[in-house]
Amino acid sequence: MRTLFCFLIGWLTTTLVAAQTHPNWIKQAVFYQIYPSSFQDSDGNGIGDLKGIQSRLDYIQSLGINTIWLNPIFKSAFQDGGYDVIDFYEVDPRFGSNTGLVDFVNQVHKRGMHVVLDLVAGHSSNQSEWFKQSMQADTNLRYSNYYIWAPHKPTDLTQQEASRWVEANAPRGKYYIKNFYDIQPALNFGYAKPNPNHPWEQPVDAPGPQAVRSELKNVITFWMEKGVDGFRVDLAASLIKNDPDKKATIALWNELNAWFDEKFPNGLLIAEWFNPKQSIAAGFDIDFLKPGHLFSPFERGQKAPAKVYFDKAGEGAIINWYTDFRDQYESTLNKGYISLPTGNHDSPRIADSSRHDPDQLKVAMTFLLTLPGIPFVYYGDEIGMNYIPNSPDVEGSHARSGTRTPMQWDGSQNAGFSAASTNKIYIPQDPDPNRPTVAKQDKDSNSLLNYVRKLLALRASSPALGSEGEWALVSDVNKPYPIIYRRFNGADRYIILINPSGNPVKADVPTMKAKQARYVFGTSEKSNYTIGKGTDAVTVPAVSAAIYKLD
Ligand code: GLC
């Protein structure tokens, strides 16, 4: 009897954990990420705002996008582009107001679209009232324990830990712990294993960390009740300190996600964790994947450059990317969703000096938008806006400014982004007189923009190409040009060929046992997929991509 009981409990627990809840709309979601300062300025001050974004909803919808993620719009000191929040309950005046946001959300919803905000859960600005109060000597104030204060810096810290100590010489303590820049003091979610010799390391269930946790719930509730559809959670993996295996952080998010799912069953939480195996287990709906060296010679923090896969030289490899992708994909199947975005506000764009031919970008987009999981298009990638090297450091962007230049709409002043004088706009735009614009590409049926639209329409029309269609690599991972993979969903079956290299390539793959393979979309009808007995034969011209439907 006892064994049966244990078995039942075990079964129930695994079943409950496995049956993670997601809002119904997630399956069809296609995201557009907007860096709000850089999208559309409506009041002529050179900085984008909510009204500006609102005026571009027709365009966003015309792409086949149905969900918008806005980088932080809360009141900020803008020393890290909005990721240094002063007031979590107020929209920054540069973007509009709280009522303006409600209006924006209503307009988005009227179109059957959704909008998620960026939740900076782990830290605030050092100019927030919470932090200012916690600096005071009195430790019994409301926000006293919202941050981590220490009287001295111990000598037994690892190098990484030590790099987070900021000397403040405040009445409250000599040091505080930060998350990213010095001006971003970490909120106190507690320590996984507090060190008894470090009295400032409070356990996760101490009153301070518990108060911070409730505050986070209040922030989430405040905006959800204003109608937003969810959040992308900044640095979600880093809330609890000294938690190398992330067990305590996963437990924290399990609690928060369970609470969120019950209170807001239609709400969505996306993790910035870069490890879906952990974040989906923590209850998140979506997490991002690292792009390996598909597009950039550098990954965050890496010093020596690697050969890039999406390059005409054709010298890149996919083994590292594939190993991680496959592992993350298989481990999270039927539990949550992965995403390999076209770009984001922290990384170089896919279009740069070595990769800006429309065909190269179409090949990259074909790959990114036919993967399983949820597509995220970073604003401007759909027209091939370039990464602009040596852009000035603006609001803590450093090299990331090259990725955050204002949207290029048309041939008018500042490419239609703003009526301000050009020297006043947020970040200087691409100086190339032939820079891509929406207006030019809209008229050209062969443009990247129209290619992306058709690709997203094809994806939306097919269960196989959508978020839940099965994915498997068909070609040899060690012969990466071309990449050939299949997307299957019952009788709906596609095969995709990707060749970023400047040479035509051939491959034999195990047969798909189909009657025929029909070319339905891509950059070149000159590719070929011939069904054989034991193997299928594939040829792909230089710099091209093709999607075949199997009948
Ligand atoms: C995340 C954001 C990045 C920000 C950092 C600190 O990684 O994407 O832009 O600088 O967190 O909040």
Side-chain angles (χ1 to χ4, degrees), residues 80 83 123 180 184 232 234-235 272 300 345-346 400:
D80 183 18
Y83 285 93
H123 48 264
F180 195 66
Q184 289 162 313
R232 170 265 193 191
D234 183 61
L235 295 178
E272 187 210 24
R300 263 192 200 188
H345 61 293
D346 291 329
R400 300 177 296 183

Side-chain angles (χ1 to χ4, degrees), residues 192-211:
K193 293 180 197 82
N195 177 340
N197 300 323
H198 298 169
W200 55 87
E201 296 186 5
Q202 300 178 354
V204 175
D205 56 4
Q210 285 299 312

Side-chain angles (χ1 to χ4, degrees), residues 509-514 530-537:
V509 296
T511 184
M512 292 294 120
K513 296 185 184 138
T530 306
I531 309 282
K533 273 212 165 131
T535 52
D536 296 347

Side-chain angles (χ1 to χ4, degrees), residues 19 25 51 60 133 151 281 326 335 357 370 375 443 454 493:
W25 56 272
K51 277 208 178 118
I60 297 171
Q133 191 186 81
R326 184 180 158 185
K335 295 180 190 150
D357 292 351
T370 56
K443 287 190 287 217
K454 287 177 211 152
R493 304 192 305 156

Side-chain angles (χ1 to χ4, degrees), residues 273-314:
W273 194 304
F274 298 116
N275 189 348
K277 280 208 279 194
Q278 288 185 340
S279 56
I280 303 295
F284 281 97
D285 299 295
I286 308 176
D287 186 13
F288 302 107
L289 291 167
K290 291 188 201 140
H293 294 110
L294 294 177
F295 299 101
S296 167
F298 297 98
E299 282 241 327
R300 263 192 200 188
Q302 178 200 330
K303 295 224 168 71
K307 293 236 159 85
V308 166
Y309 176 72
F310 279 88
D311 190 288
K312 276 188 188 161

